[in-house]
Structures are given as C-alpha cells and as structure tokens.
Amino acid sequence: MAFFLVSLFSLFLFLSSSATACDRCLHQSKASFFSKASSLSAGACDYAELALSLSAGNLAAAVPSIFKDGASCGACFQIRCKDPKVCSKSGTRVVVTDLNRDNKTDFVLSSRAFQSLAVKGKAQYLLKLGILDIEYKRYNANQFNQKI
C-alpha cells in the first residue's frame, strides 16, 4: 500500500511540474507596449541596432519567468490578443530582446508588434487601450507555418 501511495504521489508531482513547465503550451496573460522600439533594442540582451532587424522590428521585453536570466534572448513567441472585435486571428510574432520588470504584463511589445495585433483599422484603438489580454506560446523561429 505504501509503495502504491508513493508511486501515485510521484506521478502527481511529475504531471504538475510538467504542466507548469510547458514551453510550447498556450498561456494566458497581458501585454502592453513601448512607443519606441529603440527602447527594446537597447535592452538586456544587448542586441543594439541588430534587434531592429529581428522579426521586422516586432520586439518584446519579457518578465523574469520567461526571460530566464537572458536564456530567452532571441526566443520567438506567437502572441494574439483575445478580443475578436478588434484583434486579428493570426496575431503577431515577436523576438525577446529585453527584460520586463513590470508586474502587470508578461510582455511589453514594440508599438509595431502591438499594432499588428489589430484587425484593419483598429490599431490606434489598441494603442489607446494600452494593455491587452493575450494568449501566447513559444515557437521555433525555423518553423514559419506554426500557428496558435
């Protein structure tokens, strides 16, 4: 009986730890934006001007749990806002170039990336909102056809 309980407990720990550690799972959060992409290019990853050429300037700063002490520098994320009235279904792809120390959002996007979340004609509306409910997942930058 003790062996069964230990095995069951071990299985529970394994399942709960793998669920929270899922790197490719869809996550729910919030995102905001910087008005100048240069703020993100001069960020913690130290990409400088090179950052502006990454992902067509669709850059992001990520919270410490995503940034992982710089291990996520250059990581790619697919981000989509959740309001179908103003947000496109496809969302946008961003590259992490900085650390986000703000505890209100998981990502701070370049204004270009933030506006690209909108359906046609609603980009300025999104900017006025300032913070959006999003869903995101990490993706392999070599797999261009991968979608949320």
Side-chain angles (χ1 to χ4, degrees):
M1 179 70 170
F3 177 76
F4 174 75
L5 290 176
V6 168
S7 297
L8 187 60
F9 182 71
S10 298
L11 178 62
F12 173 75
L13 285 177
F14 172 76
L15 291 175
S16 65
S17 68
S18 60
T20 58
C22 181
D23 206 24
R24 305 259 189 243
C25 295
L26 190 61
H27 301 276
Q28 309 297 314
S29 186
K30 294 187 179 290
S32 61
F33 71 97
F34 275 124
S35 58
K36 294 183 180 179
S38 60
S39 301
L40 293 169
S41 65
C45 295
D46 210 20
Y47 287 142
E49 285 103 36
L50 173 64
L52 297 174
S53 67
L54 299 172
S55 190
N58 289 340
L59 309 177
V63 290
S65 61
I66 297 170
F67 190 73
K68 299 178 184 173
D69 291 325
S72 290
C73 284
C76 301
F77 288 87
Q78 176 79 23
I79 297 177
R80 179 173 60 194
C81 61
K82 297 174 63 174
D83 184 346
K85 294 175 188 166
V86 294
C87 301
S88 72
K89 289 181 181 180
S90 59
T92 191
R93 293 181 174 184
V94 297
V95 175
V96 172
T97 59
D98 199 1
L99 173 63
N100 171 22
R101 291 183 176 88
D102 181 3
N103 62 0
K104 296 176 188 169
T105 66
D106 277 357
F107 290 97
V108 177
L109 308 178
S110 63
S111 59
R112 171 179 275 186
F114 198 81
Q115 291 179 71
S116 69
L117 296 171
V119 293
K120 188 174 182 172
K122 295 293 184 178
Q124 290 302 313
Y125 177 76
L126 288 188
L127 290 175
K128 287 180 185 176
L129 290 175
I131 294 179
L132 300 172
D133 290 323
I134 62 162
E135 53 190 17
Y136 70 91
K137 73 176 183 176
R138 189 167 177 176
Y139 77 95
N140 182 340
N142 295 326
Q143 296 175 338
F144 295 109
N145 294 325
Q146 186 178 20
K147 295 186 179 179
I148 290 181

